[in-house]
Amino acid sequence: MLLHYVSDMPANYCEVALPVPLRLAFTYAIPDRLAGSIFAGSRVLVPFRNRAMTGVVVEVSSRRPDPARVKTVKEIVEALDPIPALTPKLLELGRWVGGYYVAPLGEVFRAMLPPQVDLRHERELLLTDAGRARRDELDAAGNRSEAEVAELALLSLLRIEDRPVRADRLRKLPGGESAAERLLRRRQLEAREVTLHRHARLQKIVAWDSTEDVSSLGEKEARVYHVLAEERGPLPLPALAKLAKVSRSLIERLIRQEKLKSWEEPLAVEEDLFEVDYTPPSNILNADQGRALGEINGWLEAGAFHVGLLYGVTGSGKTEVYLGAVEAALALNKTALILVPEIALTLWIGRFCRARLGASVAVLHSALPEVERAREWWRVRRGEARVVVGTRSAVFAPLENLGLVVVDEEQEASYKQEETPRYHGRDVAIVRAKLEGAVALLGSATPSLESFHNARSGKYHLLQLESRVENRPLAPVEIVDLREDFRATHRAGPLSSKLSEAIAARLDQGTQSLILINRRGYSWFVICRSCGAGIQCENCSISLAYHKQRDRLECHYCGFSRRVPKACPKCASVASGKVDILVGTQMVAKGHDFQRVTLVGVVSADSQLSLPDFRAAERTFQLLTQVAGRAGRGALPGEVLVETYYPEHYAIQLAARQDYLAFFERELQFRRLLHYPPFTALASVLVRHTKIENAIRWSRQLSAFLAPQESRGVKVLGPAAAPLARLKREYRFQFLLKAPKRAQLTRVLSELLTFSEEKEIPERAVLVDVDPLSLF
Ligand code: ADP
Ligand code: ZN
């Protein structure tokens, strides 16, 4: 389909947010043929800068745009949704996200929407009159250069085809790529964008569709009913035949009899992620769990916005409380959303929910194939799934009549999106609950300082699970002082003698050990045992990783690579010049239930303490407490060994005692004194460019704008070289903005971006992160 440009002005207009880094919406006209099919929240295809682009309608109006502001109004090409993809509540939520995180609305909506699997944009080239003349001229010429030969081939092909040809086909001709560029520049060719609907392979999905009395069904029909209506929900036809142990022709017959309805859907890559015969444990709630659930049920019945913080030590049975709350929400005819911090947990909790709640559970996370994710998303949008389990972006799942949002492990950093829009899933979840008059339930054994502070000050309701289920004891934690170990053994291996012995004992016993290596590297890297120096990337100033197969050191950010040096580059004078390779693995063991683990060892427990980050102590405390909670979860008692060079640090001491409250008090004091969250709203602004002059000039310009803001209550630190001062060949400078009042901060950031646009600083050179979790 071609893009049309308007001639006369039709009666209706709309504002469309497009996924471009501009903080405004664009006005388009609604052509007559689309009248009545475009609403706020609809996805539409529009022409934008010579291309076709998908956007979201934010407003429809009959007001003619001010001709002084908008010169030509283009028409919407196509409406993409039979029902608007975004509900009014989600549009409102998107506006909030855009405002709070100063992010372009179109990019916010793009993050909220399912992947677009049914459309493909393509470029076609066609011959102009000048192109035809050029072809004849080249054809007649006797002596042609190589470039001219390529041009002639391309032009001739277009003339023979006598219609527009796909650009990628022409580029494949010898020299075609640059010939096409030249011909376009000279207007001997013309390009245009076309949008094609992809024809996905389809499969037949069937669902139960009869109100007939179940007791009157035949045996086979009853099996079909059971699978579709009670166990699983709509299924592809072959899967149903297999699960219900019936023939396909029986299913076809039931469709004809209208006991089943059926429709076509794109073929999903993975049919079902859940084990079919999983029976979840049916636990009887203990007194603490019962009390917490009782309170939550009260809020749900009241139907008003509440935030509960479910604070319970590891292994206290929070999952049971979540599920009880979900059941209560469903019983009130509402829907529920469960957010978890990592993909593996969506399967674990999703499986639990499927088994307990049946058909209406959808799972949404970024590792699903796009087709599958889109299918799940639309299943939710059409109201077929009433419970969603997912990771961060599932906070935007299009559930209506939302009653409950659960955020499991609310302190986890993975809830923060590290690209535009840089939102925090937990915070968006709370705002969403507020917009929908729902209950937000945050759960953690080590709540973030912010959340616990809110619970203590009465903004949230604190719900506590005091002990582990069945009163299993928390495993004793012992701190191993690595300095002492080194003095005694004169060995600085990765494992202390104490930890090695403990692991050996577990191997003898036949129980399991869990060893957490608290390093942020992904793989092997090289350090010198004499001077401790690592080898860093010349572009990025971060450690290079060792790749065994290629026997080289490589940078994970920019790809720079070098040979492994024979001697240490820092202390080449050291006689032995020996280079040792140590292991550094990132291994996270949160939330999973390990029944047979009796030893947890933590290697380099303090490696995060020295990072230049005000949350370093909090992260260390959380990690140690969480990992210690993995020991002794089953019937077997456990033991935890924590190795450290800083045994006296309060984060390590208090984690060893698993004393969250003491840690909270101490850390809160520090935050108050130094004006950090939760006492201050924080944002960082990064300026980046490959040319250092530009990075410096723009930083100066922004600095000049920011300096006077101190009088409005916003403190500005910087510009300083960012912690990763050079990344992917870009130079990076950073500001940190602190404000006691959130509204001031938001206003200054928004004005800063406007200022930056006026100064024509490229959009991608300025990155704003509101409530940053890590500094760039
Ligand atoms: P948390 O998320 O609080 O760390 P979980 O929800 O994973 O803890 O529960 C820990 C274990 O306790 C699980 O194996 C769960 O099945 C079990 N459990 C939970 N509630 C009960 C209960 N009331 N009685 C017996 N076992 C329970
Ligand atoms: Zn690099």
Side-chain angles (χ1 to χ4, degrees):
M1 150 156 350
L2 265 177
L3 305 186
H4 301 273
Y5 295 88
V6 275
S7 38
D8 31 59
M9 292 274 184
N12 271 311
Y13 302 90
C14 57
E15 297 293 307
V16 176
L18 292 170
V20 292
L22 291 168
R23 292 177 305 143
L24 27 111
F26 300 84
T27 307
Y28 286 88
I30 302 175
D32 285 344
R33 71 194 155 83
L34 294 179
S37 61
I38 287 176
F39 311 91
S42 296
R43 288 180 311 165
V44 289
L45 193 67
V46 296
F48 183 77
R49 290 186 184 153
N50 251 336
R51 314 183 20 201
M53 204 181 260
T54 304
V56 173
V57 175
V58 284
E59 202 187 318
V60 179
S61 89
S62 54
R63 238 179 314 117
R64 177 184 270 270
D66 176 3
R69 192 174 64 89
V70 191
K71 282 192 204 71
T72 53
V73 180
K74 293 174 183 171
E75 270 185 4
I76 287 181
V77 176
E78 204 178 335
L80 298 177
D81 302 318
I83 45 170
L86 294 179
T87 61
K89 286 264 161 55
L90 284 177
L91 278 177
E92 200 179 338
L93 186 66
R95 283 204 195 89
W96 180 86
V97 171
Y100 184 94
Y101 295 100
V102 290
L105 206 51
E107 296 198 13
V108 173
F109 289 142
R110 182 167 56 182
M112 297 174 79
L113 287 164
Q116 226 172 50
V117 289
D118 46 352
L119 288 183
R120 191 156 50 94
H121 303 306
E122 238 167 43
R123 172 171 263 230
E124 287 182 348
L125 299 179
L126 57 154
L127 220 47
T128 61
D129 287 342
R132 269 182 213 101
R134 172 74 174 157
R135 198 210 79 89
D136 295 342
E137 179 193 328
L138 286 172
D139 196 31
N143 224 339
R144 289 185 288 261
S145 71
E146 203 175 312
E148 287 169 339
V149 172
E151 285 175 21
L152 179 60
L154 209 151
L155 293 167
S156 303
L157 179 82
L158 277 165
R159 202 182 70 164
I160 295 164
E161 293 273 333
D162 198 23
R163 60 188 170 88
V165 172
R166 275 168 49 178
D168 53 357
R169 190 177 147 204
L170 294 173
R171 282 199 212 99
K172 282 194 197 113
L173 297 173
E177 176 112 42
S178 44
E181 289 299 316
R182 284 194 304 277
L183 293 166
L184 276 169
R185 220 171 25 239
R186 295 191 221 117
R187 298 182 192 280
Q188 288 157 346
L189 287 184
E190 205 174 278
R192 64 182 196 187
E193 297 292 326
V194 287
T195 299
L196 306 171
H197 289 262
R198 198 188 307 242
H199 294 290
R201 286 215 294 143
L202 296 176
Q203 62 179 348
K204 195 173 221 166
I205 305 289
V206 284
W208 189 261
D209 188 31
S210 163
T211 49
E212 194 179 330
D213 183 9
V214 179
S215 59
S216 70
L217 295 175
E219 192 194 320
K220 287 181 181 166
E221 292 181 5
R223 282 210 299 273
V224 171
Y225 168 81
H226 184 73
V227 169
L228 285 182
E230 289 180 350
E231 243 175 47
R232 304 293 294 275
L235 282 174
L237 194 149
L240 173 64
K242 206 165 130 200
L243 283 168
K245 302 190 183 69
V246 296
S247 67
R248 298 173 73 126
S249 55
L250 178 106
I251 298 173
E252 301 282 3
R253 197 189 72 218
L254 292 175
I255 294 173
R256 283 195 302 276
Q257 294 173 349
E258 296 183 346
K259 286 182 181 160
L260 298 181
K261 67 176 167 190
S262 75
W263 65 91
E264 302 273 316
E265 272 187 20
L267 191 64
V269 180
E270 243 168 318
E271 259 339 317
D272 195 53
L273 302 153
F274 302 106
E275 280 170 39
V276 182
D277 335 292
Y278 170 73
T279 324
S282 47
N283 293 315
I284 297 165
L285 297 190
N286 63 29
D288 272 358
Q289 288 170 320
R291 211 171 309 123
L293 190 55
E295 277 216 55
I296 298 164
N297 287 350
W299 305 333
L300 285 168
E301 274 157 26
F305 170 59
H306 277 83
V307 186
L309 175 61
L310 182 64
Y311 161 54
V313 293
T314 50
S316 57
K318 293 185 284 294
T319 316
E320 287 290 338
V321 178
Y322 302 153
L323 288 191
V326 171
E327 281 169 335
L330 293 179
L332 290 166
N333 246 327
K334 300 200 168 166
T335 61
L337 176 58
I338 304 180
L339 298 179
V340 293
E342 54 169 317
I343 290 165
L345 288 174
T346 59
L347 300 185
W348 161 258
I349 292 193
R351 189 177 65 160
F352 223 94
C353 287
R354 271 275 170 110
R356 277 261 292 258
L357 312 170
S360 58
V361 181
V363 167
L364 288 172
H365 61 74
S366 57
L368 289 176
E370 289 202 338
V371 180
E372 180 76 358
R373 191 147 50 104
R375 191 179 103 168
E376 287 288 273
W377 197 95
W378 281 103
R379 214 157 72 76
V380 177
R381 179 66 186 91
R382 290 192 299 259
E384 289 159 18
R386 298 179 52 225
V387 178
V388 171
V389 180
T391 46
R392 181 179 60 227
S393 64
V395 72
F396 301 120
L399 289 162
E400 287 189 278
N401 196 15
L402 188 67
L404 174 75
V405 190
V406 173
V407 185
D408 185 28
E409 306 283 355
E410 64 87 27
Q411 81 288 354
E412 282 293 333
S414 56
Y415 283 120
K416 173 81 183 194
Q417 170 139 310
E418 295 296 359
E419 59 190 66
T420 309
R422 297 170 173 266
Y423 66 91
H424 196 299
R426 174 201 59 214
D427 298 340
V428 176
I430 291 169
V431 173
R432 180 158 188 199
K434 189 170 177 186
L435 291 178
E436 314 230 13
V439 171
L441 180 61
L442 316 181
S444 178
T446 52
S448 62
L449 266 265
E450 287 87 343
S451 295
F452 205 75
H453 180 66
N454 281 332
R456 285 260 301 250
S457 63
K459 205 167 154 195
Y460 300 170
H461 305 261
L462 186 63
L463 303 167
Q464 205 162 337
L465 304 180
E466 307 254 0
S467 51
R468 284 187 148 187
V469 293
E470 296 172 345
N471 289 319
R472 284 169 201 154
L474 282 167
V477 179
E478 190 181 335
I479 298 176
V480 181
D481 185 340
L482 285 175
R483 297 166 309 188
E484 248 166 46
D485 189 71
F486 183 72
R487 277 196 289 273
T489 62
H490 291 284
R491 281 191 314 116
L495 297 186
S496 64
S497 44
K498 185 129 199 177
L499 184 53
S500 321
E501 281 157 25
I503 294 171
R506 295 317 187 281
L507 288 173
D508 285 347
Q509 272 175 20
T511 63
Q512 295 177 328
S513 304
L514 176 73
I515 308 300
L516 179 98
I517 302 172
N518 185 16
R519 285 218 193 260
R520 296 189 110 199
Y522 297 98
S523 54
W524 301 70
F525 56 94
V526 170
I527 67 170
C528 172
R529 184 168 279 179
S530 306
C531 73
I535 299 179
Q536 297 202 325
C537 170
E538 294 169 12
N539 304 320
C540 305
S541 49
I542 60 154
S543 293
L544 295 172
Y546 176 67
H547 284 259
K548 214 170 172 179
Q549 275 161 7
R550 292 186 285 278
D551 189 26
R552 287 181 79 83
L553 295 169
E554 288 179 13
C555 172
H556 276 294
Y557 286 134
C558 75
F560 167 84
S561 102
R562 61 168 289 171
R563 276 187 310 114
V564 182
K566 291 271 184 295
C568 173
K570 278 262 165 61
C571 67
S573 58
V574 176
S576 69
K578 221 168 107 194
V579 171
D580 280 322
I581 292 165
L582 301 180
V583 189
T585 307
Q586 196 172 55
M587 178 180 164
V588 184
K590 52 192 169 232
H592 306 282
D593 202 6
F594 299 94
Q595 296 288 329
R596 289 169 46 74
V597 172
T598 62
L599 170 70
V600 170
V602 184
V603 178
S604 47
D606 40 36
S607 67
Q608 290 185 358
L609 276 177
S610 50
L611 292 179
D613 182 341
F614 73 91
R615 285 197 179 85
E618 184 181 12
R619 293 239 173 80
T620 302
F621 177 85
Q622 284 167 348
L623 185 85
L624 294 185
T625 311
Q626 294 277 347
V627 78
R630 299 306 122 204
R633 306 238 326 171
L636 303 165
E639 181 190 4
V640 183
L641 291 180
V642 172
E643 296 186 340
T644 175
Y645 285 102
Y646 305 110
E648 49 295 298
H649 194 287
Y650 66 96
I652 291 184
Q653 286 287 336
L654 294 173
R657 279 193 255 139
Q658 311 222 10
D659 191 345
Y660 176 80
L661 289 179
F663 176 79
F664 172 78
E665 296 296 354
R666 171 115 196 214
E667 187 67 10
L668 201 70
Q669 191 83 346
F670 157 72
R671 301 281 179 94
R672 194 191 321 252
L673 283 174
L674 287 154
H675 304 287
Y676 280 122
F679 299 101
T680 307
L682 200 68
S684 68
V685 176
L686 185 85
V687 181
R688 55 178 184 178
H689 200 255
T690 46
K691 293 214 174 83
I692 192 162
E693 317 83 84
N694 285 342
I696 291 175
R697 183 159 46 90
W698 296 333
S699 306
R700 288 216 181 108
Q701 286 178 320
L702 296 191
S703 185
F705 172 84
L706 286 171
Q709 307 302 333
E710 304 234 349
S711 63
R712 293 165 71 188
V714 176
K715 189 161 174 49
V716 180
L717 306 174
L724 289 174
R726 209 169 159 214
L727 183 69
K728 293 186 185 149
R729 301 199 151 270
E730 283 181 328
Y731 292 88
R732 300 146 59 91
F733 294 93
Q734 178 169 296
F735 297 90
L736 213 53
L737 275 57
K738 285 177 168 185
K741 291 219 175 65
R742 167 74 56 184
Q744 300 285 46
L745 182 69
T746 310
R747 200 166 314 133
V748 166
L749 287 171
S750 173
E751 288 172 16
L752 176 80
L753 289 182
T754 309
F755 172 84
S756 159
E757 277 159 31
E758 281 164 16
K759 294 285 169 207
E760 297 187 355
I761 302 176
E763 286 119 11
R764 73 168 303 283
V766 181
L767 276 185
V768 175
D769 193 353
V770 176
D771 303 340
L773 277 197
S774 64
L775 298 185
F776 298 107

